[in-house]
């Protein structure tokens, strides 16, 4: 977010402040610049993490990659506890929040959302109803990622 707030980690006002989640001892909401997150200094200084990597990490993803997501990657705010997506043994790149309108041009992502709900063994019509109701700005939304190796689009859904 554009802001003239100075970063508590480096003391500089760089024109942007990170507004996503911070998991740390102190109160660090809206007070870090994206550069101090990217270079790991904010995480080191405050023992902070920006995404909860406690679950949903596939077994083929090395711990160093998971640490990179937790401590050097800006997180995003969801309705429920956010989690990252992985593919090809690596962390995927987070592209943003999407709804059904945006998902129509990402068939891979729709496929991954169907699989997400396939685990619950819900009827196909119910899954379709859920997917088509997703709205970028709504209370039922999805988060889009892209694999940095094979380019596959991934997504998971979330609701208020
Ligand atoms: Zn900073
Ligand atoms: Zn991949």
């Amino acid at each position: 977010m554009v802001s003239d707030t100075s970063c508590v980690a480096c003391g500089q006002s760089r024109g942007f402040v990170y507004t996503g989640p911070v998991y740390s001892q102190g109160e660090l909401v809206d007070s870090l610049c994206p550069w101090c997150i990217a270079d790991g200094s904010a995480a080191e200084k405050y023992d902070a993490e920006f995404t909860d990597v406690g679950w949903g990490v596939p077994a083929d993803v090395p711990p160093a990659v998971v640490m990179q997501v937790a401590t050097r990657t800006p997180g995003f705010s969801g309705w429920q506890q956010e989690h990252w997506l992985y593919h090809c043994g690596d962390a995927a790149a987070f592209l943003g929040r999407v709804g059904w309108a945006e998902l129509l041009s990402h068939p891979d992502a729709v496929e991954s959302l169907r699989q997400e709900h396939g685990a619950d063994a819900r009827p196909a019509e119910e899954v379709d109803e859920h997917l088509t109701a997703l709205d970028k700005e709504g209370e039922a939304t999805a988060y889009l990622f892209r694999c940095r190796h094979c380019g596959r689009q991934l997504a998971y859904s979330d609701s208020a």
Side-chain angles (χ1 to χ4, degrees):
M1 185 175 85
V2 176
S3 166
D4 56 10
T5 305
S6 340
C7 168
V8 294
C10 63
Q12 295 184 52
S13 170
R14 310 224 207 191
F16 290 92
V17 68
Y18 167 70
T19 56
V22 183
Y23 305 98
S24 67
Q25 296 291 332
E27 191 52 56
L28 289 168
V29 173
D30 298 355
S31 45
L32 294 167
C33 75
W35 289 270
C36 286
I37 294 174
D39 70 9
S41 60
E44 199 173 324
K45 199 161 179 180
Y46 301 103
D47 196 20
E49 298 193 349
F50 308 103
T51 291
D52 180 2
V53 292
W55 59 291
V57 182
D60 63 348
V61 176
V65 168
V66 178
M67 278 307 288
Q68 175 87 17
V69 168
T71 63
R72 290 176 176 240
T73 307
F76 59 96
S77 300
W79 293 110
Q80 310 300 333
Q81 180 65 61
E82 312 81 24
H83 67 277
W84 212 259
L85 292 181
Y86 305 83
H87 203 254
C88 293
D90 198 358
F94 177 61
L95 301 183
R97 195 188 257 226
V98 290
W100 182 243
E102 293 76 30
L103 284 164
L104 283 172
S105 50
H106 302 295
D108 293 355
V110 172
E111 186 56 34
S112 68
L113 286 166
R114 281 188 200 286
Q115 282 166 10
E116 164 190 76
H117 291 280
D120 304 341
R122 289 209 283 172
E125 314 85 78
E126 217 177 284
V127 172
D128 282 349
E129 209 175 297
H130 166 76
L131 292 181
T132 53
L134 293 172
D135 185 340
K136 192 177 176 181
E137 311 291 343
E139 296 201 337
T141 189
Y143 305 107
L144 185 67
F145 292 76
R146 186 179 56 230
C147 176
R148 290 181 289 191
H149 300 274
C150 70
R152 188 176 169 91
Q153 313 263 3
L154 313 155
Y156 79 90
S157 63
D158 184 25
S159 54

